[in-house]
Every structure is written in C-alpha cells, then in structure tokens.
C-alpha cells in the first residue's frame, strides 16, 4: 500500500485514540480497586460516634455508683482535725443520706432493704459527726483556757488543762479510728457479698455450691487472715 501523508496521519490518530482508551481503562480499573472516599468518611464518622457513645456510657456507669460510703466518710472524719473539715464531711454525709433515702423509696425487694440498712449506718455516722463537732468546740475552749492561764502565769492550772486536753484528744482519736475501721470492714463485707451474688447469678449456682467449689479449689480458706488484711487500711490521723 502506498503510504501518503494523509494515511499516516489517520493511522496515527487511530493509534493515539487506542492508547488513550487503554489508559482510561487501566485508570478505571485501578480506581475500582481503591476504597470509596465517601464510604470511608461515613465509616470514620460512625466509629467516632460509637467511641463517643462508649465514653458517655462508661461515664454514666461510673457516676451512678455511690461516691461516698459510710466507711470512706468515717475515715475522713477520723482524719478531720478542724471544724471546717468536719463540716465538709457532714455535707457529703447529708448528700449521701438523701440519695439513699431516694433509693429506698424507688427501690424494691433486696435493693430497698440494702438501702434502708445503709440509711441506718449513715444516720449513725451523722450523729458521730455532730458529736465530734462538740468535742472540737470543747477542745478549742480548753486551749484558750490554757493560753489564758499561761498568760496569767498560772503554771499549775495551765499544766492541768494541757494534760486533760491531751488525754481527751488521744481518746477521741482512738475511738474515731476504731469506728472508721469497723465501717470500712462493713463496706468490704457488703462489696464481697454483692460480688459473690453476681458471680452466682452468672454461673447459675446457689451460695452453698459456690462456697464448696471455692473451698475445693483453694484447699480451704483462712478467714482470719482475710479480716487481718482488711484491718490494715491506713487511716492514721
């Protein structure tokens, strides 16, 4: 065939279009392998929403748990050495008491019973808070009397007041520590009981079979050691 300039131009155009079609086909194939950006964006938004909901759910669960137990507040009371500190403990106790009364009112069965038991403990704690406030007022008055006696050079009277004040404080602090330890141990017992009930419900076992299984697996249990560990909580004034 005779090659002319027109034929060459036509053949070149045909080849160029074929090459372009091939490149477009390859690009389309590559593009089909890539993930859809809109889908990725929607997936990212969904994951972000789930993460946010998870955080919110976790926060609600934590905030729904009681913040101030009787044992914790009793330990705070034992450490309190000023009237302002005692008033802060009183504020927490009154708020906790109001929450417990609400729980007892709206609760049913075992939950309401536990709430009523906690109410009695919290009311007892509030009485002890009021009692400590009176003790601190008395100790402050004795301190002022001691300073007055020292200023008037009444050494014997000042010494007597000082020794009585020291004895009162020692007795008060010991009593407060013992009470706090008792209430902390009571909190621990309740938490252990609730955990045991939860495990039993999950396993479909009664308390007797679970107890025997625990003993069989552990080869016996030293309860005195457990109580000793609970008694090691530091509430030193």
């Amino acid at each position: 065939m005779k090659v002319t300039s027109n034929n060459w131009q036509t053949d070149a155009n045909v080849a160029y279009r074929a090459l372009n079609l091939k490149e477009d086909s390859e690009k389309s194939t590559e593009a089909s392998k890539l993930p859809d950006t809109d889908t990725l964006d929607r997936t990212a938004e969904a994951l972000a929403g789930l993460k946010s909901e998870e955080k919110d759910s976790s926060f609600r669960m934590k905030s729904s748990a009681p913040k101030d137990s009787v044992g914790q507040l009793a330990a705070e009371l034992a450490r309190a050495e000023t009237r302002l500190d005692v008033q802060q403990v009183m504020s927490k106790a009154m708020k906790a008491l109001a929450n417990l009364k609400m729980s007892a009112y709206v609760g049913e069965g075992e939950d309401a019973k536990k709430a009523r038991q906690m109410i009695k403990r919290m009311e007892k704690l509030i009485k002890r808070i009021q009692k400590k406030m009176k003790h601190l007022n008395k100790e402050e008055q004795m301190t002022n009397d001691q300073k007055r006696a020292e200023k008037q050079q009444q050494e014997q009277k000042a010494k007597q007041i000082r020794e009585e004040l020291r004895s009162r404080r020692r007795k008060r602090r010991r009593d407060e520590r013992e009470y706090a330890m008792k209430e902390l141990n009571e909190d621990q017992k309740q938490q252990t009981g609730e955990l045991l009930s939860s495990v039993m419900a999950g396993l479909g076992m009664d308390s007797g079979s679970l107890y025997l299984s625990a003993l069989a697996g552990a080869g016996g249990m030293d309860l005195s050691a457990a109580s000793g560990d609970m008694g090691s909580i530091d509430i030193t004034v």
Side-chain angles (χ1 to χ4, degrees):
M1 184 180 72
K2 185 179 179 180
V3 178
T4 64
S5 60
N6 290 335
N7 290 338
W8 180 87
Q9 186 68 30
T10 300
D11 293 340
N13 289 338
V14 171
Y16 182 74
R17 286 196 299 271
L19 181 61
N20 285 341
L21 288 173
K22 182 178 180 181
E23 291 178 351
D24 291 342
S25 177
E26 290 176 352
K27 289 180 180 180
S28 177
T29 302
E30 292 297 328
S32 65
K33 294 179 181 179
L34 295 175
D36 185 5
T37 55
D38 292 338
T39 302
L40 288 176
D41 291 341
R42 289 193 296 270
T43 303
E45 291 176 0
L47 289 175
L50 288 174
K51 187 175 182 181
S52 176
E53 290 178 3
E54 182 180 357
K55 288 182 178 180
D56 293 343
S57 176
S58 177
F59 176 77
R60 287 193 295 270
M61 288 175 64
K62 290 179 180 178
S63 63
S64 64
K67 296 180 180 179
D68 299 311
S69 69
V70 177
Q72 291 171 338
L73 292 176
E76 289 186 30
L77 180 64
R79 293 191 296 265
E81 282 300 320
T82 67
R83 285 182 294 183
L84 178 60
D85 293 338
V86 176
Q87 288 172 355
Q88 290 176 347
V89 178
M90 173 65 86
S91 178
K92 293 180 181 180
M94 293 299 294
K95 184 177 179 180
L97 179 61
N99 291 335
L100 287 170
K101 288 184 176 180
M102 180 61 67
S103 298
Y105 179 76
V106 301
E108 296 179 356
E110 190 66 21
D111 291 337
K113 180 180 178 181
K114 290 179 180 179
R116 288 192 294 270
Q117 292 174 347
M118 289 293 294
I119 287 173
K120 292 181 179 180
R121 292 178 59 201
M122 192 65 70
E123 288 175 341
K124 182 178 179 180
L125 172 65
I126 290 174
K127 290 181 180 180
R128 293 189 70 97
I129 294 173
Q130 295 170 339
K131 181 180 179 181
K132 177 160 186 174
M133 186 65 75
K134 293 179 180 179
H135 280 310
L136 292 180
N137 289 336
K138 178 63 176 178
E139 290 172 12
E140 182 179 0
Q141 179 183 347
M142 293 179 66
T143 300
N144 293 333
D145 292 341
Q146 176 190 337
K147 292 179 179 179
R148 189 179 303 109
E150 291 173 348
K151 186 176 182 180
Q152 297 175 356
Q153 296 183 350
Q154 298 177 346
E155 295 298 333
Q156 186 64 28
K157 183 178 180 179
K159 180 180 179 181
Q160 181 181 356
I161 295 174
R162 183 166 53 251
E163 291 178 352
E164 182 181 354
L165 180 60
R166 186 183 299 114
S167 177
R168 286 175 63 94
R169 282 177 174 166
R170 187 183 300 111
K171 183 178 181 301
R172 171 178 61 79
R173 290 169 178 169
R174 182 177 62 253
D175 182 61
E176 289 169 355
R177 286 194 296 268
E178 291 175 353
Y179 170 70
M181 189 61 63
K182 175 184 174 183
E183 294 301 328
L184 284 168
N185 286 336
E186 186 65 28
D187 285 347
Q188 185 68 34
K189 285 171 56 179
Q190 288 189 359
Q191 292 173 6
T192 302
E194 291 175 0
L195 178 61
L196 187 64
S197 299
S198 177
V199 172
M200 286 189 298
L203 297 177
M205 301 172 64
D206 57 25
S207 59
S209 59
L210 183 60
Y211 177 73
L212 291 176
S213 297
L215 285 181
M221 184 180 301
D222 186 359
L223 296 180
S224 63
S227 62
D229 291 340
M230 289 189 295
S232 63
I233 300 174
D234 182 14
I235 56 170
T236 304
V237 178

